[in-house]
Amino acid sequence: MLHDIEPHVYSNAFHPRASKPGDVTLCFCEDGVYLKNGEFPRRSDYPAECGTTYLFDYDGAAVHLSDRPPEGAEKRPFRAIRSMAQPDAFLGGTAQHLWDWYRKTKYCGCCGSRMEHSKTERAMVCPQCGNTVYPRISPAVIVLIHSGDRILLAQGKHYAGSFYSLIAGYLEIGESLEQAVCREALEEAGVHVHDLRYFGNQPWPFTDTQMVGFFAEGDPDEPIVLQEEELADARWFRVGELPETASGISIASAMITAWKNGFLPQT
């Protein structure tokens, strides 16, 4: 999955420091990321006067943001990061998550003053009223609904491709993870699920999300009722007849692969 990057080491302990010539230094804009020869640029690729912001440590070195593009770089769409091999997809996605949060947290939501970077933690602080804002992480559930050798897969209306994936959605205020699974399955496909079993979880920085995965059983004879605002299609597939499914770095892909191999989480 996206965060499985061994033997590389990611550390989000907050140790801000000046960038060095060899440090990975990324620059994002409204519609993409700047790459140099298809790879992440280094600090030495930028003019000396560029400003940088510390993000996190990776393999013992600091990773930074730059406030302007590197020299000789090409702007690529954000999806270019997701198509990279590991561990670059994780590194770039996590940097993109923080960049997006920083650009959306320039002003205080309480008094409207310009926010400042905290000197002691990864946070934005209002110098006028003291409001402190931390990186946004939105919890979501994703569920593999199965019955014997069949699995329920859905095609989202807003997917970039024609692939199928699992039912998923964000938690609502006041509900548990398990309640969210049942609600999303019923809302999106009209399916009642039972016997929920936890599979695992994954950061998905491209949407500021922490995905929490479950397996659940459903009834293939229950009529599917699509939530047409969200889904283009949903149907049951047998194990030998699966369509194109989600990418290999996603938890959805890991769950589908596990199911195809006969794995079922224990209660």
Side-chain angles (χ1 to χ4, degrees):
M1 292 191 289
L2 180 70
H3 60 292
D4 295 331
I5 60 171
E6 292 184 354
H8 300 277
V9 179
Y10 162 72
S11 173
N12 60 11
F14 190 67
H15 297 305
R17 55 196 183 276
S19 58
K20 297 179 180 179
D23 288 348
V24 171
T25 304
L26 296 104
C27 180
F28 298 90
C29 60
E30 293 288 338
D31 56 353
V33 58
Y34 288 92
L35 301 178
K36 193 163 185 179
N37 300 320
E39 298 181 350
F40 296 135
R42 304 283 173 165
R43 179 63 182 90
S44 56
D45 294 315
Y46 294 82
E49 65 271 17
C50 279
T52 60
T53 301
Y54 170 80
L55 294 179
F56 49 80
D57 277 18
Y58 185 83
D59 284 349
V63 176
H64 289 79
L65 284 178
S66 171
D67 61 4
R68 69 182 72 178
E71 297 174 335
E74 176 188 9
K75 186 173 70 174
R76 300 289 305 279
F78 290 120
R79 64 176 178 273
I81 295 176
R82 291 176 57 172
S83 64
M84 287 180 165
Q86 287 287 61
D88 286 348
F90 172 81
L91 190 157
T94 305
Q96 180 186 336
H97 184 170
L98 286 170
W99 164 80
D100 189 56
W101 172 69
Y102 280 134
R103 77 185 181 101
K104 294 176 179 176
T105 320
K106 292 181 179 179
Y107 297 96
C108 178
C110 294
C111 71
S113 299
R114 183 87 179 192
M115 300 286 275
E116 296 179 352
H117 289 263
S118 169
K119 294 180 173 57
T120 59
E121 58 183 341
R122 190 175 286 103
M124 298 295 285
V125 181
C126 176
Q128 298 300 318
C129 71
N131 178 37
T132 301
V133 181
Y134 297 93
R136 181 178 61 193
I137 303 173
S138 302
V141 294
I142 184 166
V143 55
L144 186 149
I145 304 171
H146 62 96
S147 178
D149 68 341
R150 286 186 282 185
I151 182 176
L152 181 68
L153 295 174
Q155 187 180 63
K157 273 196 170 181
H158 309 294
Y159 290 172
S162 59
F163 67 90
Y164 282 71
S165 192
L166 305 179
I167 298 294
Y170 291 100
L171 265 70
E172 298 288 352
I173 295 295
E175 69 181 355
S176 68
L177 295 169
E178 293 80 4
Q179 289 171 331
V181 167
C182 295
R183 174 182 55 76
E184 287 290 344
L186 191 59
E187 284 182 357
E188 293 197 0
V191 174
H192 293 82
V193 296
H194 57 91
D195 292 343
L196 274 63
R197 301 176 182 183
Y198 173 73
F199 174 83
N201 71 95
Q202 174 189 50
W204 193 246
F206 310 105
T207 54
D208 305 335
T209 309
Q210 188 73 22
M211 302 294 300
V212 184
F214 290 87
F215 277 49
E217 295 189 24
D219 182 1
D221 294 326
E222 185 175 21
I224 292 176
V225 181
L226 288 182
Q227 186 180 31
E228 296 183 355
E229 299 83 4
E230 297 290 334
L231 301 183
D233 187 27
R235 66 179 87 166
W236 290 89
F237 294 90
R238 295 191 182 277
V239 66
E241 304 170 348
L242 296 182
E244 178 187 2
T245 55
S247 68
I249 61 173
S250 68
I251 190 172
S253 176
M255 294 170 71
I256 293 169
T257 299
W259 176 80
K260 287 194 298 184
N261 291 335
F263 171 81
L264 287 178
Q266 300 300 309
T267 54

